[in-house]
Amino acid sequence: MTITGGLARARRIAASLSIILVFGAVLIGPIEIAAAQNSPAKRMPAQGAGGTQAIGAQMKNAIALTRGGKIDAGYAQLLAALDATDRLDDAQFVMEQYFDATAALRAVKRDDLAEKLFIRAFKGKAAAQSPPGNADVLLMYAILISDHARIAEAVPLYMKAIAAFNAYWGEGSEESLIANDKLAVALSANGSAASATNLGRHNFELSEKALGPDHRTTWKLANNYADMLREIGAPAKTLELDLFAIEKRARHYGENHLNTLVTVNNAGQDFLNLGRFDDARRYFRRHRAIATVLAPKDPSFAGQADAWLFYTDMLATGDAAMPQADLERLEAIVANEANFADFLRIKAAGLAAGKREQRGERDAGMRLRETALAISTRAFTAQHPLSFEIKLGIATALIATDPNRAARAFTALDREMFDWMKREVGTSGDRAVAEAIRAHADHLLFAFGRFATSAGSSVAQPAFAAAVLRWKTLGGGDATALRQLETQMAGKDEETAALLRAALRLNGEKQELFSSGNIDDWARSVWQRQDAAEKALNKRLDAIGAKLPQDPIRPSQLLAHDEAVINYFITRQWKADRQSKEPLSATVLYAIVETATSEPRVVDLGDPGRMVDTGVRTEIARLRTTQAAAPDRDAKTAGNKTADNKAPDDKALDSKGRFQNLRARLFAPLEPALKDKTTLYVVPDGFLFAVPFSLLPGADGGLLEDRTTVRMLTSPDALIAIHVRERLDRTGAMLLAGGIEYGQPGPMPLPGTKTEIEAIAKLARARSAPVEMLTGRGVSETVLREAIGKARIAHLATHGFYHDSTASGLDTLWQSGIVLSGAGDSRWPLRDEKDGYLYAFEVMDWDLSGLDLLVLSACETGRGDESFVSGLRGLPTALGIAGARRALLTLWPVADEGTANFTVRFYEHLAEGLTYSDALRQTRRDARDGKVAGARDASVWAAFVLFEG
């Protein structure tokens, strides 16, 4: 009786597993699974109690009537048979009869009647005895509910069914794996791509381990997991799975079998999606050959193969005009619902629409696009990658005929996709899946940006600027609203402010963990804590009658008349194979300039890959190598501060030459909007986080920051609290760590760091500020974490490290951090408070919201890898999530002596009353003027960057 057949994939509204599991109760009560733990491992046949044979015959007749079209009579007899069944004491037999009765009703499309019987089944005494049949009936009920787009009700049913299968036959059993697969397929069908692919991958990997790679259920799960990946646009991984399934199925079933044909066709689609047309044709021809043999069973198979071959040929012609006959044949595929797959019809409609528009037949093209959207919405869901792709095509097509309507279409799609993306990336659990999902956002923003900067499209500029603002704060869902309310509550209602900070911090941490693919017990604990924090916050807000702000705040609302925001944003257009050596087909850097008195201005700055020329790259390379060579990565000293106290190379910086071109590309096009602005808030993106903005020359000689204050923000919403506690709290507690003893063997000692923190401590004590100093062997993670929660300023002078994650494959947050007491030989990164290495992944879970400033007087602490949509992943990310308001970090290795003197001078200026940003600016000026020993070279003073927010 175990369900192993196919599932009708009705698709409607999207709902995430993480969301729908908290929905209201379903129509049945709790199913007691505990009794099953002591049950036999195999199904027991129904006992031969009196009456079962007669009831079985009665049920058989009732089913025959129902399937024969006499539904009313059949249903009446089904009820009579079930009445007799319910009086028996054989619980397993009873549940088997309910299974057969509901299956008969589903077969004749009377799901309304079937649902009544499901509800009745779980109100009876048989279900309360938890026989094995409960699992099968629960699963059938869940499938019915999800087929009708009631996924919020269906998921708890699936979970109860899976629990029953696990209890009776084990988590890795074929029965349990198939039940889990049904849930994965249902989630995918309802638009929950991330949850579906998480579960699909888990099922496939567990089946390989439990049943083995040669078990047919393993191939089935590989096939279904590939379907999920194909729908979100991950063709390289999909092809790998499909080729595995083809090999196994062809060997087991033979070449000319339906299962082999299905997977061969899937592989052809994979090659097509990768742009490998010859390989696609080869597999579609193989599909055609199998279809010819299977023609007596179903003659439509051959026609499907021919349609795929034709579509491949048409797609391969690129921009060439399409003959009328071919165009009509393509449109005939779109119209033929009976014989062609929805996926093919959607793709054919999109191709035909483009060809119609190419011929000037825009109305015909739009009708085709709308037809494709109708198919996708019905067959999949409105919130599905395929539907988003069609909507993007509609918005882009409207540019030529109605720019105002196009702007509205882009804005609507942006908001719809953003809400979907927040949920999906936040629960992706797989970096490849997160990247596939985010690639859809990149394609939207690439097209939106092109539209916003094209001739006559000023109407789109404010909309695109608003979209960029949302996407660059993707990591926190309602982060901007939480930050707004926290700023309002701080100092007035500290209980509520603390709850807001906790929700904000845990929200960001959960987002990073789940989008990184690091779904382990730790990630789950973060999710639980985040959920608890949100519940506590909501309870508190209800109690005081407060609500989160609903209207998004714009940067212009937070600016003075002499201030401006420059929000840099990179858009990308990806090739189909994002795992290739050159996955990008185009990249554009935009600058969105906002002031207090004008609408946002979007400026196309061109290809960011050409932004940094050879001269700039050479100079940055010199700055990174002047003071320290990078030792072996495994020694955890790459990027260390050097212990060499020799005077640095005072080679003059050729700012007018090497950095002049970079300034011209980054700032010159923006100058008309920046007149009379004395403070610029710069929000970098991607590689711009690694650019030393302090080295950019000004328009009249000297440096840009000589006449303009440049403040670096990690995200646009940092402006909300930019002026909160921006000067030294003269009596605020200070935590200092330096002179750390590392392991033997271990990183090179840094004697200058002890002198550094002693000098800073002297300044703090002079103003009667509490000071705690950690040094020697006493700078462990445990001690540091406890102490840092009591401080307003924390200054850690030690080694820092950063490694590009490309070569190792490790997440960047495990590739960057700082070195503490006892650190020795390298070891695999893990959460270990005794290993002497504080990784970004670990510090992300700390609560640093009490800090006004964190100084990491170490090497390369400001570096990281580009995130997929925007921003940076590394220590800056981790510190921002942990809640530090400001972090003074470094972009490259820095000299021990020069760094110590530089940071001491920085604190002197803070004691004078300068803001944190002005103190850094003045300290750099002092260093350039030779007033800071050992720091005159740009390799020291330009390395420091203050990230705010």
Side-chain angles (χ1 to χ4, degrees):
M1 195 173 71
T2 303
I3 300 171
T4 57
L7 170 64
R9 291 164 65 90
R11 304 158 185 264
R12 296 294 185 270
I13 59 171
S16 164
L17 177 60
S18 63
I19 297 172
I20 56 189
L21 287 178
V22 302
F23 271 48
V26 293
L27 296 175
I28 63 170
I31 303 299
E32 178 58 53
I33 300 300
Q37 302 295 341
N38 297 321
S39 298
K42 298 294 182 183
R43 286 182 174 80
M44 296 298 291
Q47 301 299 312
T52 57
Q53 290 184 351
I55 292 173
Q58 186 180 3
M59 180 64 70
K60 185 176 180 180
N61 290 334
I63 291 173
L65 281 172
T66 303
R67 289 180 176 270
K70 298 179 180 179
I71 296 175
D72 290 341
Y75 183 60
Q77 288 205 23
L78 286 174
L79 291 176
L82 291 173
D83 284 340
T85 303
D86 286 336
R87 291 191 287 270
L88 298 179
D89 290 330
D90 190 338
Q92 175 63 13
F93 177 79
V94 172
M95 297 311 292
E96 286 176 352
Q97 303 316 300
Y98 274 100
F99 182 94
D100 291 343
T102 52
L105 291 168
R106 293 220 66 195
V108 296
K109 303 186 184 304
R110 288 304 304 267
D111 286 359
D112 57 330
L113 299 179
E115 185 171 0
K116 290 181 179 180
L117 296 189
F118 281 126
I119 295 170
R120 170 177 166 157
F122 289 105
K123 288 182 177 178
K125 64 179 181 179
Q129 297 175 37
S130 299
N134 274 9
D136 296 291
V137 179
L138 274 167
L139 185 57
M140 179 74 99
Y141 188 12
I143 292 170
L144 181 150
I145 296 296
S146 58
D147 280 355
H148 289 275
R150 293 156 57 190
I151 193 69
E153 297 173 50
V155 169
L157 290 168
Y158 277 113
M159 300 302 289
K160 289 180 178 180
I162 290 167
F165 281 118
N166 289 345
Y168 280 104
W169 299 288
E171 185 176 354
S173 66
E174 184 178 7
E175 292 89 347
S176 176
L177 287 167
I178 290 174
N180 272 284
D181 183 57
K182 298 296 185 185
L183 172 57
V185 170
L187 289 169
S188 177
N190 284 274
S192 293
S195 297
T197 47
N198 286 345
L199 188 55
R201 182 186 63 174
H202 169 79
N203 293 340
F204 171 62
E205 292 175 350
L206 181 58
S207 186
E208 275 196 305
K209 181 179 179 181
L211 303 181
D214 293 323
H215 196 286
R216 59 186 180 182
T217 293
T218 302
W219 318 331
K220 175 184 177 65
L221 299 183
N223 180 82
N224 290 351
Y225 177 33
D227 280 344
M228 298 166 200
L229 289 170
R230 187 179 301 107
E231 289 177 8
I232 65 170
K237 178 62 177 177
T238 304
L239 178 61
E240 178 186 325
L241 291 162
D242 283 330
L243 292 179
F244 162 81
I246 288 172
E247 177 191 358
K248 299 297 184 181
R249 284 179 160 176
R251 183 183 304 168
H252 178 79
Y253 298 112
E255 176 73 4
N256 298 315
H257 190 277
L258 178 59
N259 286 346
T260 306
L261 179 145
V262 168
T263 315
V264 166
N265 176 270
N266 288 343
Q269 293 184 49
D270 299 336
F271 283 120
L272 192 61
N273 292 334
L274 289 167
R276 295 167 59 177
F277 299 120
D278 288 341
D279 288 319
R281 291 185 184 97
R282 181 160 53 89
Y283 273 80
F284 289 140
R285 284 194 291 267
R286 183 175 173 184
H287 172 187
R288 183 68 167 77
I290 300 171
T292 301
V293 177
L294 296 179
K297 296 182 179 179
D298 191 334
S300 69
F301 292 154
Q304 293 170 23
D306 290 337
W308 278 109
L309 282 165
F310 173 70
Y311 172 72
T312 302
D313 290 340
M314 295 300 99
L315 188 63
T317 62
D319 294 331
M322 184 178 291
Q324 180 68 22
D326 289 340
L327 185 52
E328 290 176 357
R329 182 179 175 187
L330 200 61
E331 292 173 348
I333 293 173
V334 178
N336 194 336
E337 181 178 359
N339 292 322
F340 299 120
D342 291 326
F343 193 81
L344 173 59
R345 296 172 63 218
I346 291 168
K347 292 295 186 181
L351 179 57
K355 296 301 182 182
R356 287 290 184 188
E357 290 157 357
Q358 187 181 50
R359 296 161 59 149
E361 301 169 357
R362 297 195 176 278
D363 288 344
M366 186 59 67
R367 286 194 295 273
L368 283 161
R369 295 188 188 279
E370 290 170 348
T371 296
L373 182 58
I375 297 170
S376 184
T377 301
R378 185 190 69 252
F380 300 93
T381 155
Q383 289 78 39
H384 189 279
L386 284 173
S387 298
F388 292 144
E389 180 183 327
I390 299 165
K391 292 175 185 178
L392 179 56
I394 290 173
T396 304
L398 286 170
I399 294 173
T401 58
D402 191 340
N404 288 330
R405 187 180 168 197
R408 292 194 296 271
F410 271 109
T411 299
L413 177 57
D414 164 66
R415 291 182 179 277
E416 184 179 19
M417 190 179 290
F418 181 79
D419 290 340
W420 178 79
M421 188 76 58
K422 283 191 304 184
R423 183 194 71 211
E424 293 302 303
V425 171
T427 58
S428 63
D430 184 316
R431 193 155 188 82
V433 172
E435 290 177 352
I437 291 171
R438 289 179 176 187
H440 292 286
D442 269 335
H443 289 167
L444 162 67
L445 294 165
F446 185 88
F448 203 171
R450 284 297 199 207
F451 173 38
T453 53
S454 62
S457 62
S458 59
V459 64
Q461 292 219 356
F464 179 67
V468 169
L469 198 64
R470 281 191 294 275
W471 287 102
K472 292 193 77 170
T473 55
L474 175 65
D478 295 320
T480 301
L482 290 168
R483 195 183 294 263
Q484 278 183 254
L485 188 56
E486 190 277 334
T487 303
Q488 296 169 15
M489 293 290 182
K492 302 173 184 176
D493 182 345
E494 198 51 40
E495 180 181 350
T496 303
L499 290 170
L500 286 160
R501 288 192 291 269
L504 183 62
R505 182 172 53 82
L506 290 166
N507 208 3
E509 184 179 4
K510 187 200 79 170
Q511 199 86 5
E512 280 296 327
L513 288 170
F514 278 79
S515 64
S516 73
N518 189 40
I519 307 304
D520 53 13
D521 289 342
W522 178 263
R524 295 184 185 94
S525 75
V526 170
W527 194 336
Q528 291 170 355
R529 284 187 284 142
Q530 185 257 347
D531 184 58
E534 285 193 356
K535 289 179 179 177
L537 174 61
N538 290 333
K539 183 178 180 181
R540 175 64 181 174
L541 293 179
D542 288 342
I544 64 174
K547 293 183 179 180
L548 289 172
Q550 298 300 307
D551 296 326
I553 191 167
R554 291 213 53 81
S556 59
Q557 299 171 258
L558 302 167
L559 297 173
H561 73 279
D562 59 348
E563 297 177 332
V565 174
I566 304 174
N567 190 5
Y568 290 103
F569 190 68
I570 298 172
T571 66
R572 306 168 179 88
Q573 194 168 51
W574 296 86
K575 296 177 182 176
D577 186 2
R578 290 185 304 279
Q579 285 71 51
S580 64
K581 292 183 179 179
E582 296 182 357
L584 293 172
S585 59
T587 312
V588 179
L589 172 66
Y590 294 99
I592 296 95
V593 180
E594 296 204 46
T595 68
T597 57
S598 62
E599 286 289 317
R601 182 186 174 195
V602 183
V603 182
D604 182 343
L605 297 177
D607 184 352
R610 300 177 182 178
M611 187 70 59
V612 183
D613 60 21
T614 303
V616 173
R617 293 180 190 277
T618 300
E619 181 61 18
I620 293 177
R622 181 188 80 81
L623 293 168
R624 287 179 178 168
T625 58
T626 296
Q627 299 303 326
D632 181 73
R633 184 187 74 82
D634 289 337
K636 283 290 191 307
T637 56
N640 284 341
K641 296 169 68 175
T642 178
D644 185 356
N645 291 331
K646 294 180 181 179
D649 179 8
D650 286 330
K651 176 181 177 182
L653 178 68
D654 183 9
S655 61
K656 289 186 178 180
R658 291 178 176 172
F659 281 88
Q660 186 64 44
N661 288 341
L662 184 58
R663 179 203 165 277
R665 291 166 181 166
L666 284 176
F667 274 95
L670 315 180
E671 287 177 350
L674 300 176
K675 291 179 180 179
D676 303 322
K677 304 306 176 189
T678 58
T679 298
L680 302 179
Y681 297 103
V682 175
V683 188
D685 191 15
F687 78 99
L688 292 179
F689 274 92
V691 169
F693 278 77
S694 59
L695 288 176
L696 295 183
D700 55 354
L703 295 178
L704 176 66
E705 74 170 12
D706 287 342
R707 294 183 177 273
T708 306
T709 299
V710 180
R711 300 176 69 168
M712 307 299 294
L713 310 184
T714 54
S715 67
D717 63 355
L719 271 176
I720 294 170
I722 196 68
H723 297 304
V724 174
R725 302 202 314 246
E726 63 177 341
R727 284 183 168 80
L728 180 69
D729 181 348
R730 299 189 65 83
T731 60
M734 178 173 281
L735 173 66
L736 305 172
I740 298 172
E741 290 186 24
Y742 309 116
Q744 294 294 333
M748 183 185 304
L750 298 173
T753 61
K754 181 71 176 300
T755 305
E756 179 179 340
I757 64 169
E758 288 174 344
I760 297 169
K762 183 177 180 180
L763 291 172
R765 288 171 179 142
R767 62 175 192 275
S768 301
V771 177
E772 181 175 2
M773 294 182 66
L774 303 177
T775 189
R777 298 181 181 179
V779 196
S780 67
E781 286 184 45
T782 303
V783 171
L784 182 62
R785 184 171 188 171
E786 181 179 355
I788 208 167
K790 306 170 186 176
R792 276 289 190 214
I793 293 179
H795 183 105
L796 313 179
T798 182
H799 286 295
F801 57 90
Y802 161 77
H803 311 297
D804 191 313
S805 64
T806 304
S808 68
L810 287 174
D811 190 285
T812 308
L813 297 180
W814 282 118
Q815 293 281 73
S816 54
I818 60 173
V819 186
L820 303 179
S821 295
D825 292 338
S826 65
R827 59 180 298 174
W828 190 257
L830 49 81
R831 294 185 183 277
D832 184 348
E833 295 189 350
K834 299 178 181 180
D835 64 356
Y837 294 104
L838 178 57
Y839 297 95
F841 237 131
E842 295 175 299
V843 79
M844 184 170 62
D845 190 59
W846 291 21
D847 183 358
L848 304 180
S849 58
L851 288 179
D852 291 344
L853 174 69
L854 173 63
V855 179
L856 294 184
S857 183
C859 295
E860 299 191 285
T861 50
R863 297 187 64 194
D865 290 351
E866 293 184 34
S867 72
F868 210 79
V869 169
S870 65
L872 186 84
R873 300 192 79 244
L875 267 174
T877 304
L879 297 174
I881 288 172
R885 290 184 180 273
R886 300 167 192 85
L888 184 60
L889 309 174
T890 59
L891 297 177
W892 52 70
V894 285
D896 189 13
E897 179 190 11
T899 297
N901 295 333
F902 184 90
T903 55
V904 171
R905 179 59 63 91
F906 170 68
Y907 285 107
E908 290 174 348
H909 286 311
L910 286 179
E912 294 167 1
L914 296 182
T915 65
Y916 292 109
S917 60
D918 285 341
L920 176 60
R921 182 186 180 200
Q922 185 59 50
T923 304
R924 282 199 287 249
R925 185 174 296 166
D926 292 347
R928 289 162 51 203
D929 292 343
K931 298 178 181 178
V932 181
R936 186 171 186 177
D937 192 274
S939 61
V940 177
W941 62 262
F944 285 92
V945 58
L946 184 68
F947 287 115
E948 303 186 69

